[in-house]
Amino acid sequence: AQTVTQSQPEMSVQEAETVTLSCTYDTSESDYYLFWYKQPPSRQMILVIRQEAYKQQNATENRFSVNFQKAAKSFSLKISDSQLGDAAMYFCAYRSPRSGGSNYKLTFGKGTLLTVNP
Amino acid sequence: NAGVTQTPKFQVLKTGQSMTLQCAQDMNHNSMYWYRQDPGMGLRLIYYSASEGTTDKGEVPNGYNVSRLNKREFSLRLESAAPSQTSVYFCASSARVGSGGPKEETQYFGPGTRLLVL
């Protein structure tokens, strides 16, 4: 079974600075999908960025980028020029590309609470 | 385009009462999901519907039933609520499942329903 580990329960960053959130996962599959979701105090789950494992190029979305290290099974999220609105819980998630049974689910880490200080 | 909507936003039940959580999406997605989120944990899949007319159990289905009413709507029913079902419930949808590529496999979430069972 796949597992996702976020080793940092809480992180803080100064406004305008850069912060990196860590995520590691365990899988025996060679291809899969990885996601970062943001959950602000409103509780809405918002997609931040996604990556397909067979693509070596790291995904980027504006100020958000990932460092995907497939051999190390690591998928960290870098937030550049942090803004107050980035304060939220961030979840790393894994999804198998295969269909059927429990493959349909996203496997989530326990989350990292990011605080942005003005 | 409202995305994924859920009703109600908040509900208090007494042990043994029943209720139905409603979910609808307007993105013409084939697949829909119900997750629950408990404190200190990521989301866990309760039930999913890969396509209209089909439903299957996720990892924590006990105490719940679902109905995929049509392509847009996917409801979750608690027949006899228990305090252990106190949680935040999220509905999600995706274009498809099973080797669809990262964009098609991406799950988009509703705002959540907070349920308290006394």
Side-chain angles (χ1 to χ4, degrees):
Chain A
Q2 294 86 12
T3 58
V4 176
T5 302
Q6 293 179 250
S7 59
Q8 307 151 315
E10 296 183 27
M11 293 280 286
S12 64
V13 63
Q14 291 295 127
E15 198 175 2
E17 293 189 347
T18 296
V19 64
T20 298
L21 308 183
S22 300
C23 173
T24 58
Y25 55 92
D26 186 27
T27 183
S28 59
E29 297 175 313
S30 59
D31 195 17
Y32 42 85
Y33 308 120
L34 295 166
F35 304 88
W36 278 99
Y37 283 90
K38 168 185 176 181
Q39 187 178 41
S42 66
R43 287 201 311 272
Q44 175 83 48
M45 294 288 286
I46 302 166
L47 175 71
V48 175
I49 203 164
R50 58 188 158 215
Q51 174 91 37
E52 188 163 12
Y54 84 87
K55 292 186 177 178
Q56 295 188 355
Q57 185 174 7
N58 290 325
T60 62
E61 288 286 344
N62 301 315
R63 297 183 294 107
F64 298 88
S65 61
V66 298
N67 184 6
F68 174 50
Q69 301 287 331
K70 190 173 183 179
K73 297 180 182 175
S74 171
F75 183 60
S76 60
L77 176 69
K78 185 170 85 170
I79 306 174
S80 304
D81 185 25
S82 296
Q83 300 175 359
L84 296 177
D86 294 334
M89 183 73 84
Y90 286 82
F91 290 97
C92 178
Y94 171 102
R95 203 248 193 241
S96 169
R98 292 181 288 118
S99 60
S102 62
N103 294 318
Y104 288 125
K105 70 183 175 79
L106 287 172
T107 300
F108 286 87
K110 292 187 177 182
T112 296
L113 181 62
L114 178 66
T115 303
V116 181
N117 301 309
Chain B
N1 191 334
V4 181
T5 57
Q6 292 182 234
T7 54
K9 286 187 170 56
F10 176 64
Q11 184 73 45
V12 179
L13 290 179
K14 294 181 180 177
T15 296
Q17 288 185 318
S18 62
M19 79 163 293
T20 300
L21 282 64
Q22 306 287 354
C23 173
Q25 52 90 11
D26 62 2
M27 295 178 282
N28 200 34
H29 283 171
N30 289 316
S31 305
M32 298 184 75
Y33 314 81
W34 276 106
Y35 290 87
R36 61 178 287 174
Q37 182 181 29
D38 299 301
M41 302 182 71
L43 280 67
R44 293 181 294 167
L45 184 67
I46 305 171
Y47 270 93
Y48 64 92
S49 171
S51 61
E52 187 178 354
T54 68
T55 61
D56 280 289
K57 295 178 180 179
E59 55 185 316
V60 289
N62 291 344
Y64 305 96
N65 285 301
V66 290
S67 295
R68 183 74 183 267
L69 304 170
N70 48 54
K71 192 173 185 178
R72 290 187 65 247
E73 298 172 290
F74 188 40
S75 61
L76 178 71
R77 182 160 178 84
L78 286 71
E79 292 291 350
S80 179
S84 62
Q85 294 178 303
T86 292
S87 189
V88 180
Y89 291 84
F90 288 94
C91 178
S93 70
S94 67
R96 59 172 290 179
V97 293
S99 303
K103 284 190 178 180
E104 293 166 302
E105 299 285 359
T106 299
Q107 295 181 21
Y108 296 91
F109 287 81
T113 293
R114 187 167 159 239
L115 177 65
L116 176 61
V117 183
L118 302 175

